[in-house]
């Protein structure tokens, strides 16, 4: 490394900062470097500023990455740390996903002072969620409860829950673990009945394609297993939509040299659901994800993804 610190770009939420700090700690350990060899640069994104309406109405996932990617293309930062589930499937020219950290638990966490599980909530209970996938899956399992839009960072959502704004909420268990908040979880939703978002629980690192020195540093902390799983999941998402406008779940699992993939797409009100499963060789991860997406698209029929 040169004399200048490596600049790590991130959003400013507590979770985003925890992910940036984890990345820095792994780089420090891998290369025996001091903390001052790195600078964490906080960048405010459009997604952080828009709190009053669903992101699907104002541009989807790119709202959490656009300003950070501009800073990287301008040379103001050297790499960016993201939640993989926030990443659009198409990146700006010149930027690549250059590393994935080992994936955390992929499950969704149910949090409520009123019931032990989602199934146990009383009729007419109010559940807050900003995720179209979670909203649709909740409505599918419990059409008798009210699901409301619920934006804000993890701490804001937990505070609103404490204040009684809603009776329950769902959050990614991985994020709660990274924030040291596992104790707030009431119960966990298993992927068999509640498929996670594509990339849930995985931290990805984006950098410039031609920045050889940064790519060399990142190679030491890259987890190839997470990348293989994400190759399948992101290929699946790219076929279907890739933005935030459709409730989509997808999860790839590895068993030796085999990969298995499950994907699902729902109507926003949970009234209709289509699911697909595929297995194959690890080397075919992206092909398997793409084929699963095409199969689901054919199953759902024209209009399902655009209604």
């Amino acid at each position: 490394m040169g004399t200048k610190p490596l600049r790590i770009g991130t959003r400013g939420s507590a979770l985003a900062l925890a992910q940036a700090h984890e990345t820095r700690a792994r780089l420090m350990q891998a290369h025996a470097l001091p903390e001052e060899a790195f600078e964490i640069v906080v960048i405010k994104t459009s997604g952080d500023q828009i709190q009053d309406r669903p992101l699907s109405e104002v541009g989807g996932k790119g709202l959490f990455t656009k300003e950070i990617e501009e800073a990287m293309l301008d040379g103001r930062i050297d790499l960016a740390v993201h939640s993989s589930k926030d990443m659009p499937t198409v990146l700006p020219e010149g930027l690549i996903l250059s590393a994935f950290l080992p994936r955390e638990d992929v499950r969704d966490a149910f949090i409520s002072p009123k019931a032990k599980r989602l199934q146990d909530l009383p009729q007419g209970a109010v559940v807050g969620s900003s995720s179209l996938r979670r909203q649709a899956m909740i409505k599918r399992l419990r059409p008798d409860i009210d699901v409301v839009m619920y934006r804000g960072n993890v701490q804001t959502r937990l505070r609103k829950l404490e204040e009684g704004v809603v009776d329950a909420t769902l959050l990614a268990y991985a994020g709660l673990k990274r924030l040291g908040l596992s104790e707030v979880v009431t119960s966990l939703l298993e992927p068999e009945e509640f498929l996670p978002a594509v990339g849930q629980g995985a931290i990805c690192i984006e950098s410039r394609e031609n920045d050889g020195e940064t790519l060399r540093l990142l190679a030491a902390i890259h987890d190839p297993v997470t990348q293989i799983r994400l190759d399948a999941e992101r290929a699946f998402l790219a076929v279907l939509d890739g933005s935030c406008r459709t409730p989509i779940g997808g999860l790839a699992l590895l068993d030796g040299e085999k990969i298995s993939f499950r994907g699902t797409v729902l109507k926003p009100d949970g009234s209709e659901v289509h699911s697909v499963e595929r297995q194959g060789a690890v080397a075919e991860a992206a092909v398997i994800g793409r084929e699963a997406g095409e199969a689901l698209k054919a199953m759902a029929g024209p209009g399902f993804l655009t209604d």
Side-chain angles (χ1 to χ4, degrees):
M1 274 182 76
T3 48
K4 286 199 320 201
L6 190 78
R7 296 157 303 171
I8 301 171
T10 176
R11 292 165 60 198
S13 71
L15 178 55
L17 289 169
Q19 294 182 161
H21 289 153
E22 181 182 336
T23 302
R24 179 179 66 186
R26 287 177 181 272
L27 284 166
M28 284 165 59
Q29 187 178 12
H31 300 288
L33 289 165
E35 197 170 289
E36 52 270 26
F38 304 91
E39 181 190 351
I40 289 178
V41 180
V42 174
I43 297 165
K44 203 163 179 68
T45 70
S46 313
D48 297 312
Q49 292 168 49
I50 299 164
Q51 293 292 332
D52 59 344
R53 54 201 188 278
L55 293 179
S56 53
E57 290 177 8
V58 285
K61 289 187 179 191
L63 293 171
F64 285 129
T65 57
K66 182 171 159 283
E67 287 84 358
I68 294 175
E69 289 173 333
E70 284 168 358
M72 198 145 36
L73 290 167
D74 292 348
R76 285 176 280 143
I77 57 171
D78 302 301
L79 61 95
V81 179
H82 304 282
S83 294
S84 293
K85 67 176 183 178
D86 289 339
M87 290 304 289
T89 52
V90 179
L91 304 185
E93 197 171 340
L95 300 183
I96 56 167
L97 294 187
S98 41
F100 291 92
L101 300 190
R103 196 172 194 173
E104 245 300 352
D105 197 308
V106 301
R107 289 175 291 180
D108 284 300
F110 173 75
I111 308 164
S112 175
K114 303 276 177 79
K116 185 74 185 143
R117 304 175 308 148
L118 178 63
Q119 294 89 324
D120 302 332
L121 278 171
Q123 196 168 346
V126 179
V127 180
S129 175
S130 63
S131 154
L132 289 188
R133 173 189 61 89
R134 289 185 185 127
Q135 289 175 5
M137 288 182 177
I138 293 165
K139 289 170 184 171
R140 178 127 191 107
L141 286 172
R142 290 293 307 272
D144 59 309
I145 61 179
D146 197 14
V147 184
V148 298
M149 179 49 63
Y150 196 63
R151 291 289 315 283
N153 63 33
V154 170
Q155 286 79 359
T156 303
R157 295 184 208 190
L158 291 174
R159 192 188 67 246
K160 284 184 188 173
L161 180 64
E162 260 178 44
E163 291 167 357
V165 175
V166 294
D167 299 313
T169 189
L170 269 61
L171 293 169
Y173 184 37
L176 293 168
K177 285 179 82 172
R178 289 189 177 114
L179 288 167
L181 291 170
S182 298
E183 76 282 354
V184 306
V185 176
T186 312
S187 61
L188 292 167
L189 292 147
E190 296 302 326
E192 289 70 36
E193 66 164 356
F194 215 91
L195 210 53
V198 161
Q200 187 154 305
I203 294 171
C204 66
I205 301 168
E206 188 180 22
S207 61
R208 289 184 293 275
E209 199 170 11
N210 61 2
D211 183 352
E213 176 61 8
T214 298
L215 293 174
R216 183 188 70 77
L217 291 167
L218 290 172
I221 65 167
H222 173 61
D223 182 56
V225 171
T226 300
Q227 172 162 13
I228 292 164
R229 294 173 67 185
L230 269 286
D231 282 349
E233 292 177 26
R234 286 175 59 77
F236 167 75
L237 189 64
V239 170
L240 290 174
D241 184 357
S243 77
C244 290
R245 288 184 293 279
T246 312
I248 295 170
L251 180 63
L253 295 170
L254 256 60
D255 182 8
E257 289 303 304
K258 293 271 181 236
I259 187 167
S260 61
F261 177 81
R262 285 177 55 227
T264 192
V265 61
L266 303 94
K267 287 278 189 199
D269 63 359
S271 63
E272 197 181 331
V273 62
H274 297 281
S275 299
V276 68
E277 291 189 31
R278 286 285 185 279
Q279 289 86 31
V282 159
E284 299 290 299
V287 174
I288 288 162
R290 199 158 52 245
E291 285 177 354
E294 298 289 3
L296 211 47
K297 214 172 179 178
M299 220 182 278
F304 190 94
L305 296 168
T306 52
D307 284 352

